[in-house]
Amino acid sequence: MGVLLVVSCLGYMLLVRSKLALQWEFIPVLVFSAIACLVFLGGLAGQLFPVSLAVMLIGVLAFVWAVVLWVRQGAKLRFAFSIFQLSFLAGSLVFLLLLFQTRLTHYDNFSHWAIVLKAMLSTDAFPTPSSNLIDFKNYPLGVSSFLYYFCRFEGHSQYVMLLAQGLLIFSCFYAMFGVISEKKRFLLYAFLGLGLSVLSFFNITIRITNLLVDFLLPIYTLAIFAIVYRYRNELRRACLLVLPLAGLLTIMKSTGILYAAIGLIFLIYTWLTHWKKPGWKLALPVIGTLCGVLLPYFGWSLRMATVFRGVENKFDVSSSGLQGMEAGKTAEQMQDIVSLFLKSSLDLTTRPALGIVILQLVAIAASIVAAAVLKKKWRLWKALIALDIVLVLYYAGILALYLYSMPLDEAIWLAGFERYASSIVVLFAGGLVLCAAVDLERSFHYKIGEVPAARAFKNIKTKGYYQKGIMACIAIAATLLLSEYNGIVTIAKSYETTLPYKVYSVTGDRWYPDGEEDQSKYLFYATDAEQQVTNYYMQYIGKYFLYASKVDGICLFYEDNMNNLLSGYDYLVVVESDADGKRLLKKQYGVDMQEGIYKITRSGERVVLNRI
């Protein structure tokens, strides 16, 4: 099935290439996004697996048809890769293969992203109100639909989940290189590669070693920027490509609609600035794209309004929510939130704030040098102004989220702030890098094709600068990527010291036929190091691996209440032991407190523990 899945994806790519004659850079992200949207719509219709199977089989047929045509035409088997394509493919494979050594550790994987995917794979359906395992049922399932499609045929392992999301990430990066028109200017690829490598500096909290979508949001938007710019004179084609990407963005996360809006605003701006008589002929595809993009979003909203009617969800805003007091926050608490938000936003010791300041200075300096020294009219300053406006509006939106939507216990300490800020800074940095690459391309003295290749430079001196620029960009980019690689390797090597590994070692990873939840009641015991019990981290991990919703955690026994406590559960799961726990279990039940699962039985008023 895994081979058929790969063949299916290749079939769609070959079909798109032959029918639409698109640049190769845009084809993978287009195919993956379209598959995700189709599977998502199938899930909304209650046909998640049938639609997924149909999508895969049609792709296989497309591949077979492409091979038949190829044989009929008597074409020879040829593989032609540019230096850039080989470099990108090699770099991507290194990181994708590295994902096979990593496992999930981030809190939010177990509180939502991984557990909802496990539920979809177990039931072949979207979660329903009766899905007790899923706490946050209003999180959209766009990326989860693609991961389901991939894992349904490739396997359920965590590394397969990570590999599937990695394909989305690297297809977006590949698409960004599509802004380059002069394919023989390797300096442009080296410069853009350097700029995109810098994004890893702001991606520490949302590395590719988890299933969180906070990194996908900005890079999908950047991919839309690249598509719209590349096909700015062919807007019908641009609209066709933007449709599945922006559509998937709207159902990645509740904030995905904001990122989709940013990409669509750039599409509208490009349409208006490239107006050609009769310009209104392009209005129909643009308007059609805007409507089509919203279909998945409204489909999910309709599901939440019907299937989940009356179900209270995280970040729901009530009709009186904007009143503050009714939202569960007093005026003093809201003032504290605003004060902490401003302090966190302007704290230059944090990567997002430091990055914004440095990028602002670099962009301003580059614009001045281009105008005063190079005598070139760069558009970087325009991009800087536009991205600054986006930045301000986004931060205002985050503040509104904390004030009027997020629960008080999370808003009071700005839960998730670093991830939210990192996402928009990745977009900010990536937007500047894309614009700078385009400006650099327009600054060459000769265009490719205007003169013979031997005279492609103004003089020998500028050719030397060109060569040195390539070496410098490659060296810095390699250093940044090596740092990211080492960071991921360190995470992989330290997995056996993490709480998920300790839980997995005791419980295993359980998958049940037909997605039936384990109805047993479990009590987990571990130390409260880093608040792993009190912040519910251990309990979420237990729910994921056991596929059971009735999981509680404890970090301390009270001798007088032990019988009463344990009698309310079917199993005691010891993840970590301590001296006090060992003493009490030995005294009360005559068992050594070793890591493992203990069956709780009752004999009258007496509780008995048996290790299984």
Side-chain angles (χ1 to χ4, degrees), residues 57-365:
L57 292 178
I58 292 173
V60 172
L61 293 177
F63 180 83
V64 172
W65 179 248
V67 172
V68 170
L69 290 179
W70 174 70
V71 172
R72 283 184 177 179
Q73 294 171 358
K76 295 182 179 179
L77 185 61
R78 295 184 304 171
F79 295 98
F81 293 98
S82 66
I83 296 177
F84 157 70
Q85 288 172 327
L86 286 174
S87 302
F88 185 87
L89 181 61
S92 299
L93 284 176
V94 167
F95 281 96
L96 290 175
L97 290 175
L98 183 57
L99 293 179
F100 277 90
Q101 305 175 30
T102 58
R103 300 294 184 271
L104 302 175
T105 57
H106 195 284
Y107 184 101
D108 285 356
N109 287 312
F110 301 103
S111 68
H112 177 73
W113 300 109
I115 188 63
V116 75
L117 178 58
K118 188 171 186 177
M120 290 169 63
L121 289 168
S122 298
T123 62
D124 286 323
F126 280 178
T128 64
S130 61
S131 302
N132 297 320
L133 284 166
I134 313 301
D135 284 354
F136 312 125
K137 299 181 175 66
N138 61 334
Y139 280 28
L141 302 176
V143 174
S144 298
S145 295
F146 179 77
L147 301 187
Y148 166 85
Y149 173 78
F150 196 88
C151 296
R152 189 63 178 79
F153 304 113
E154 189 68 30
H156 297 172
S157 300
Q158 291 183 13
Y159 62 80
V160 177
M161 300 176 184
L162 290 169
L163 177 64
Q165 184 141 317
L167 292 176
L168 291 178
I169 292 172
F170 285 99
S171 68
C172 287
F173 279 115
Y174 190 44
M176 294 178 210
F177 287 94
V179 299
I180 299 174
S181 300
E182 297 191 357
K183 305 299 182 182
K184 295 183 179 181
R185 299 280 194 189
F186 192 71
L187 175 62
L188 297 174
Y189 289 107
F191 173 79
L192 188 52
L194 166 60
L196 297 181
S197 299
V198 172
L199 300 185
S200 64
F201 177 80
F202 306 107
N203 191 38
I204 297 299
T205 58
I206 44 178
R207 288 186 187 271
I208 63 174
T209 55
N210 60 72
L211 300 183
L212 279 66
V213 300
D214 301 85
F215 189 49
L216 277 171
L217 293 170
I219 62 175
Y220 248 82
T221 309
L222 293 172
I224 292 175
F225 287 169
I227 289 171
V228 173
Y229 174 79
R230 182 64 184 87
Y231 292 111
R232 61 194 179 281
N233 295 318
E234 303 174 76
L235 274 183
R236 289 186 179 86
R237 186 169 293 186
C239 290
L240 183 62
L241 275 88
V242 167
L243 181 60
L245 271 72
L248 180 58
L249 256 179
T250 65
I251 50 174
M252 277 188 186
K253 198 177 181 181
S254 56
T255 54
I257 190 71
L258 301 177
Y259 286 89
I262 294 170
L264 293 174
I265 288 173
F266 183 63
L267 173 66
I268 296 172
Y269 169 80
T270 303
W271 166 49
L272 295 176
T273 54
H274 289 72
W275 187 283
K276 294 180 180 178
K277 293 184 179 181
W280 288 108
K281 285 187 176 181
L282 291 176
L284 186 59
V286 172
I287 294 173
T289 299
L290 297 179
C291 295
V293 163
L294 293 175
L295 282 178
Y297 176 79
F298 285 127
W300 181 254
S301 299
L302 180 62
R303 176 179 175 82
M304 294 307 302
T306 54
V307 177
F308 290 91
R309 180 183 299 173
V311 178
E312 185 176 347
N313 286 295
K314 189 178 182 180
F315 301 154
D316 281 348
V317 182
S318 64
S319 59
S320 59
L322 296 180
Q323 299 299 320
M325 295 289 288
E326 289 80 354
K329 302 180 183 72
T330 65
E332 183 179 355
Q333 289 169 338
M334 296 179 76
Q335 186 176 354
D336 290 339
I337 292 172
V338 172
S339 177
L340 180 59
F341 180 85
L342 293 176
K343 180 180 178 181
S344 302
S345 301
L346 301 175
D347 185 2
L348 294 182
T349 62
T350 62
R351 288 175 184 253
L354 180 63
I356 291 172
V357 172
I358 293 176
L359 291 169
Q360 297 273 358
L361 296 175
V362 171
I364 293 172

Side-chain angles (χ1 to χ4, degrees), residues 330-509:
T330 65
E332 183 179 355
Q333 289 169 338
M334 296 179 76
Q335 186 176 354
D336 290 339
I337 292 172
V338 172
S339 177
L340 180 59
F341 180 85
L342 293 176
K343 180 180 178 181
S344 302
S345 301
L346 301 175
D347 185 2
L348 294 182
T349 62
T350 62
R351 288 175 184 253
L354 180 63
I356 291 172
V357 172
I358 293 176
L359 291 169
Q360 297 273 358
L361 296 175
V362 171
I364 293 172
S367 300
I368 293 174
V369 171
V373 179
L374 303 179
K375 307 299 181 183
K376 300 293 183 180
K377 295 182 179 179
W378 280 20
R379 300 171 183 169
L380 186 59
W381 65 273
K382 294 182 179 180
L384 179 61
I385 294 174
L387 290 169
D388 276 334
I389 294 173
V390 170
L391 199 65
V392 172
L393 294 177
Y394 182 84
Y395 269 89
I398 296 177
L399 178 58
L401 172 70
Y402 287 120
L403 291 176
Y404 305 118
S405 182
M406 188 175 288
L408 175 62
D409 59 339
E410 296 187 18
I412 201 68
W413 59 276
L414 302 184
F417 174 78
E418 191 172 358
R419 291 210 315 273
Y420 297 143
S422 296
S423 294
I424 196 61
V425 175
V426 167
L427 176 62
F428 182 79
L432 291 177
V433 168
L434 289 177
C435 186
V438 171
D439 283 336
L440 182 62
E441 183 180 56
R442 293 170 56 246
S443 298
F444 284 100
H445 189 74
Y446 294 113
K447 299 298 180 184
I448 295 294
E450 289 182 351
V451 294
R455 294 183 54 212
F457 301 94
K458 185 177 181 180
N459 51 50
I460 295 297
K461 189 176 182 179
T462 57
K463 183 176 181 179
Y465 291 148
Y466 178 90
Q467 293 171 335
K468 292 176 182 177
I470 290 177
M471 290 187 289
C473 289
I474 291 177
I476 299 173
T479 301
L480 292 171
L481 291 177
L482 182 60
S483 175
E484 180 72 6
Y485 176 87
N486 289 333
I488 296 176
V489 168
T490 300
I491 292 174
K493 288 183 177 179
S494 63
Y495 179 68
E496 293 187 1
T497 65
T498 65
L499 185 63
Y501 174 78
K502 294 176 182 179
V503 175
Y504 170 75
S505 299
V506 173
T507 65
D509 189 2

